[in-house]
Amino acid sequence: MRKTVYWIEGDGVGPEIWRAARPVIDAALSGESDIKLEWLELLAGEKAQAATGSPLPEETLRTLAQAGTAMKGPLGTPVGGGIRSLNVTLRQTLDLYACIRPIRYFQGIESPVKHPECVNMVIFRENTEDVYAGIEYAAATPECRKLIAFLREEMGVAISDEAAIGLKPMTESASKRLVRRALRYAVDNELPSLTLVHKGNIMKFTEGAFRQWGYDVAAREFADAACTEKAPVPGRVIVKDRIADAMFQEVLLRPEQYHVIASPNLNGDYLSDALAAQVGGLGLAPGVNMSDSLAFFEATHGTAPSIAGQDKANPGSVILCGALMLEHLGVPKAAERIRAAVAKAISAKTVTEDLAAQIPGAKTVGCAAFGEIVGANL
Ligand code: NAI
């Protein structure tokens, strides 16, 4: 069976990490299933700019809007006033509302904590709302003054003339679809718990509402599969909630008690990077942004311009994106083979220079050689 995967090479280290990663993803499938990947390239970034005069051609957006599975390397944000980040444009145009990051530890990597192996979580971060909506007014501008006057006069709010203002819109529908997807994942993968992470003690009607909407989804839509912490039922996913600041302590002190996290945009952003650091850095982290129709896998690092074209980049994030994608396509055994092959390369201490810097006694190899080693470990 053929599965079409649209791919975007990306800028900077994009071409070299793809060259190293794609053969690993294809090889993981052979012997494991009758699925064959059909890779179709779409243009974006510098390559698209050179070929079409636009960094994000209409054709690419049109194809992605109809696609089921896609994967991308890093895209640089073009330098110059008024140009939006291509990543943000892709997320908003395609309504990629759930940013999903699995975080796990690979044995051998130096970590700042004593037991990084206790971290094994999947973060579902809402991707479209919250303070990321981009509704902001600079201090002392006519727009800001107008808003301050309205808030004072019409709403009776005490607010300084000096204030800059940003808005934090959060809706029931966007919060619920995020929690629904996270809970479906926890149930399908038979994971013990889902934690709603919010700052509802302070922001009652946005973050507090997120918490309540999350519990509503669990009670109304997963009545047979979920339960609460107060009334646990064996075999069901426990839905609990934690206030964001306490959660940062929890993931350091008791990470084994957390499995799936569902969070509004800003908390999820902070927590994803903090957890990645806890297990030894961002370099290996895969991610996926999802709409209801498209799963768009992406290397979570940027274009790493200072090492681009030097065969130094770590292709691990794209390789592990491949594992996530194969899981999504229904071939979990092939995904597990990839993860085991990466783990073996790391424990053999033959790694790219970014990882070598975190593994005492490691030998440094280039991007292409690391891909070959992982491929041979499959
Ligand atoms: P970056 O992730 O490119 O680099 C941060 C540090 O990590 C650098 O020291 C870099 O050399 C290293 N690094 C990153 N990827 C690596 C890899 N695969 N192997 C080894 N080392 C690696 O972040 P930075 O410098 O802030 O951004 C550079 C460009 O990338 C910008 O134009 C930014 O907009 C874009 N970017 C794109 C992202 C995406 O497409 N998802 C995400 C983050 C940044």
Side-chain angles (χ1 to χ4, degrees), residues 130-154:
D130 199 347
V131 285
Y132 289 73
I135 313 172
E136 273 202 303
Y137 301 97
T141 55
E143 296 82 4
C144 199
R145 287 207 180 98
K146 196 167 168 181
L147 194 50
I148 288 173
F150 172 77
L151 289 170
R152 262 197 209 136
E153 289 154 25
E154 306 283 329

Side-chain angles (χ1 to χ4, degrees), residues 72-77 87 298-307 313-314 354:
K72 65 180 269 296
L75 290 171
T77 300
N87 293 308
E298 70 167 356
T300 51
H301 57 74
T303 58
S306 65
I307 55 167
N314 179 356
D354 58 316

Side-chain angles (χ1 to χ4, degrees), residues 83-97:
I83 300 182
R84 274 167 94 204
S85 150
L86 297 181
N87 293 308
V88 173
T89 308
L90 281 168
R91 278 173 211 159
Q92 291 184 349
T93 316
L94 299 166
D95 195 26
L96 299 165
Y97 64 84

Side-chain angles (χ1 to χ4, degrees), residues 43-198:
L43 293 180
E46 286 167 19
K47 207 169 174 180
Q49 181 77 44
T52 69
S54 160
L56 193 53
E58 263 308 307
E59 172 70 19
T60 294
L61 281 174
R62 240 195 331 269
T63 308
L64 286 171
Q66 308 290 325
T69 311
M71 211 162 144
K72 65 180 269 296
L75 290 171
T77 300
V79 180
I83 300 182
R84 274 167 94 204
S85 150
L86 297 181
N87 293 308
V88 173
T89 308
L90 281 168
R91 278 173 211 159
Q92 291 184 349
T93 316
L94 299 166
D95 195 26
L96 299 165
Y97 64 84
C99 174
I100 304 166
R101 296 259 181 101
I103 316 261
R104 58 159 283 183
Y105 177 66
F106 284 97
Q107 204 63 43
I109 295 183
E110 235 172 45
S111 145
V113 298
K114 285 187 191 146
H115 291 292
E117 71 283 358
C118 293
V119 176
N120 193 357
M121 300 180 208
V122 184
I123 302 179
F124 284 71
R125 164 187 167 195
E126 205 289 323
N127 224 1
T128 63
E129 303 197 315
D130 199 347
V131 285
Y132 289 73
I135 313 172
E136 273 202 303
Y137 301 97
T141 55
E143 296 82 4
C144 199
R145 287 207 180 98
K146 196 167 168 181
L147 194 50
I148 288 173
F150 172 77
L151 289 170
R152 262 197 209 136
E153 289 154 25
E154 306 283 329
M155 312 289 283
V157 172
I159 186 166
S160 164
D161 277 329
E162 286 175 43
I165 296 185
L167 298 185
K168 180 180 172 76
M170 285 174 58
T171 63
E172 179 172 354
S173 57
S175 302
K176 282 188 166 174
R177 67 180 177 173
L178 185 273
V179 175
R180 186 175 296 124
R181 189 178 271 276
L183 198 42
R184 166 66 34 224
Y185 178 88
V187 170
D188 288 351
N189 290 281
E190 298 177 1
L191 295 170
S193 75
L194 174 141
T195 307
L196 302 161
V197 177
H198 60 89

Side-chain angles (χ1 to χ4, degrees), residues 125-126 130-132 168 207 263-271:
R125 164 187 167 195
E126 205 289 323
D130 199 347
V131 285
Y132 289 73
K168 180 180 172 76
E207 302 261 330
S263 166
N265 210 337
L266 183 62
N267 302 332
D269 191 4
Y270 293 159
L271 207 47

